[in-house]
Amino acid sequence: MCVIASIPAGRTLSEDELREMWQTNPDGAGIAWISGNKIATYKSMKLKPFLRKFKQVVEHHGQSDILVHMRIATHGEVCLGHGWRCYHSWRWLEQVRCSVCKTDNAT
């Protein structure tokens, strides 16, 4: 089952916590944060780029809530197209901006 972490404004996860999440759910990672009046997202199939982006997001947007999703593939392909659904654009991109974002533990 995927791991989804809701990080309240002003809080963070340690690199060790993120690595532990990845170790049990290594099929991709995503992060969503508030940027201006939109929700920005980033997805990666590799841990190191995700960790770099997570640090940047916390540094620049940590005053707002952040959502992290680590995927383990129980169904479907292992690809960037899983994990996040943004409801103003149905294009699956590595990084998008949207107004509503949803992640799930679908089985």
Side-chain angles (χ1 to χ4, degrees):
M1 186 175 293
C2 298
V3 174
I4 301 169
S6 174
I7 306 167
R11 304 289 301 269
T12 191
L13 294 173
S14 70
E15 185 172 322
D16 287 343
E17 290 170 317
L18 292 168
R19 286 181 179 278
E20 184 177 338
M21 291 166 65
W22 179 269
Q23 201 162 33
T24 58
N25 295 270
D27 295 328
I31 183 170
W33 67 96
I34 299 168
S35 178
N37 62 351
K38 295 284 185 185
I39 298 171
T41 66
Y42 172 83
K43 296 189 282 185
S44 179
M45 299 301 294
K46 298 184 185 278
L47 178 59
K48 287 183 182 181
F50 176 80
L51 291 174
R52 281 193 299 272
K53 186 65 174 185
F54 180 83
K55 288 177 185 178
Q56 291 172 355
V57 169
V58 169
E59 182 179 322
H60 296 287
H61 304 282
Q63 73 283 359
S64 66
D65 293 346
I66 296 171
L67 187 64
V68 171
H69 177 255
M70 300 279 190
R71 180 172 188 254
I72 189 162
T74 55
H75 290 82
E77 295 179 62
V78 176
C79 65
L80 287 175
H82 287 278
W84 300 103
R85 288 169 178 76
C86 290
Y87 290 106
H88 87 206
S89 170
W90 288 103
R91 293 172 48 208
W92 298 115
L93 301 174
E94 185 173 323
Q95 187 163 353
V96 297
R97 291 188 183 281
C98 51
S99 45
V100 176
C101 188
K102 173 190 157 232
T103 188
D104 59 58
N105 268 331
T107 56

